[in-house]
Amino acid sequence: MSEYLDLSSGTVHWKDYGGSGQLIVMVHGLGGSVANWDRIGPRLAGRGHVVALDLPGFGLSPPARDWSLDTHRDSIIAFISHFGSPAILFGNSMGGLLAQMVAAARPDVVAGIVLLSPAAPPRLPDPHINWRNARRLLIHSTPGIGPAVSRHLVNTMTPRELINDTLQRVAHKPSRVAIDLIESLVQVAETRSHLPWAADAIPKTGQSIRRMFLKRSRYVAMIRDVRAPTLVVQGLADPIVSPTSVGWACSLRPDWTLVQMEDTGHTPQIDSPVRLLGVVEPWLDSLVIQEMTV
């Protein structure tokens, strides 16, 4: 079931995967939507009440006052607060970065974090960086140039072409992505092709990510402020976020659990959902046991 919710931060589109008990909130990455969680959301409903939101300006949510990471963070906090209980936050890529920001700013609303290939500053030299994708991300996050490039892509490619291009870049083996999920992603892209703000979402939010990474001290301070138990899952074949960057971020928090998945790209919930659940579900069960013994 999907619907819209009016929050203090604005209106967001969200999806309810069902379940009861512990609140589990899923946050997509740059250019993503609630559909990104369709392969694991229903499965995890056996371990809690699973919901996902489209960040402002992404998916089917209208944009908020601006495209900053702080505004996206505040939208997540307002979304969690609507349900009235602390959440276990799942975040992929930019969603992982935002999950950490929420946990650092409002530890009272976060019971745990699962980070899937979380966005992290590059560490150079790094033999694992995919320079073709890195250049593309840099262009998209450049003021003036990024929005123009994004509009050109939206105007010259069909929704199916845009989705196929995205999957080629983020999934380690696109052939493993379920056909029904591809159709759901295409449907979202078709709807977004008629939204006036769609072309601004990636480049303008990308600019905010770029600014944070240029201020590495802010990123480091944010990670050190996270109190919630944290699981990090990183695809070793990730062409977007280098395993080196994620490994460095986790070195700042040796209390976090890092699991590196072979034969997995940037979106394990999309192209390796069964193996991902094999990692996530035992961790969630152990988290419940820890809470019961405290």
Side-chain angles (χ1 to χ4, degrees), residues 1-3 13-18 34-35 37-38 49-54 79 184:
M1 177 187 70
S2 69
E3 53 187 284
H13 174 256
W14 68 289
K15 188 168 188 176
D16 192 334
Y17 289 103
V34 295
W37 302 104
D38 283 356
H49 180 199
V50 183
V51 295
L53 79 158
D54 284 335
F79 184 71
S184 295

Side-chain angles (χ1 to χ4, degrees), residues 90-118:
F90 277 62
N92 175 223
S93 193
M94 176 187 74
L97 175 61
L98 288 167
Q100 295 168 79
M101 292 175 65
V102 170
R106 288 290 304 276
D108 58 305
V109 301
V110 179
I113 313 177
V114 178
L115 308 176
L116 310 180
S117 298

Side-chain angles (χ1 to χ4, degrees), residues 221-233:
M222 178 267 296
I223 280 187
R224 289 178 172 160
D225 282 342
V226 174
R227 302 178 195 172
T230 301
L231 169 66
V232 183
V233 181

Side-chain angles (χ1 to χ4, degrees), residues 117-135:
S117 298
R123 300 286 291 175
L124 301 175
D126 182 359
H128 297 107
I129 288 181
N130 183 310
W131 287 106
R132 180 180 180 183
N133 283 332
R135 284 192 294 270

Side-chain angles (χ1 to χ4, degrees), residues 92-93 96-97 100 115-123 126 128-129 213 219 223 230-236 238 240-254 256-261 265-266:
N92 175 223
S93 193
L97 175 61
Q100 295 168 79
L115 308 176
L116 310 180
S117 298
R123 300 286 291 175
D126 182 359
H128 297 107
I129 288 181
F213 287 173
Y219 174 82
I223 280 187
T230 301
L231 169 66
V232 183
V233 181
Q234 176 64 30
L236 288 177
D238 189 336
I240 304 295
V241 177
S242 168
T244 302
S245 296
V246 174
W248 168 76
C250 289
S251 73
L252 301 173
R253 291 299 303 262
W256 290 4
T257 301
L258 171 62
V259 177
Q260 296 178 316
M261 290 179 57
H266 186 56

Side-chain angles (χ1 to χ4, degrees), residues 42-228:
R43 282 281 301 271
L44 291 174
R47 285 174 165 78
H49 180 199
V50 183
V51 295
L53 79 158
D54 284 335
L55 293 168
F58 291 90
L60 303 183
S61 291
R65 61 182 182 272
D66 58 46
W67 298 95
S68 71
L69 288 176
D70 288 345
T71 295
H72 289 309
R73 175 203 63 198
D74 292 345
S75 294
I76 298 169
I77 292 172
F79 184 71
I80 296 172
S81 299
H82 168 78
F83 293 94
S85 64
I88 295 176
L89 271 176
F90 277 62
N92 175 223
S93 193
M94 176 187 74
L97 175 61
L98 288 167
Q100 295 168 79
M101 292 175 65
V102 170
R106 288 290 304 276
D108 58 305
V109 301
V110 179
I113 313 177
V114 178
L115 308 176
L116 310 180
S117 298
R123 300 286 291 175
L124 301 175
D126 182 359
H128 297 107
I129 288 181
N130 183 310
W131 287 106
R132 180 180 180 183
N133 283 332
R135 284 192 294 270
R136 181 167 180 158
L137 289 170
L138 181 62
I139 290 171
H140 272 290
S141 63
T142 301
I145 298 174
V149 171
S150 183
R151 282 192 291 272
H152 173 75
L153 293 175
V154 170
N155 292 333
T156 60
M157 298 177 72
T158 68
R160 188 170 298 277
E161 288 171 338
L162 285 169
I163 293 303
N164 287 338
D165 177 68
T166 298
L167 291 176
Q168 288 294 328
R169 286 185 290 107
V170 302
H172 179 45
K173 294 180 179 177
S175 60
R176 293 196 302 220
V177 181
I179 294 176
D180 61 331
L181 176 56
I182 293 175
E183 294 306 312
S184 295
L185 295 171
V186 170
Q187 185 177 10
V188 173
E190 171 62 34
T191 301
R192 286 184 61 77
S193 69
H194 304 290
L195 301 178
W197 60 78
D200 288 332
I202 291 177
K204 292 190 175 180
T205 303
Q207 291 172 25
S208 185
I209 297 173
R210 184 180 183 179
R211 287 193 293 271
M212 169 173 265
F213 287 173
L214 287 174
K215 297 178 179 178
R216 189 155 303 194
S217 59
R218 180 190 175 193
Y219 174 82
V220 171
M222 178 267 296
I223 280 187
R224 289 178 172 160
D225 282 342
V226 174
R227 302 178 195 172

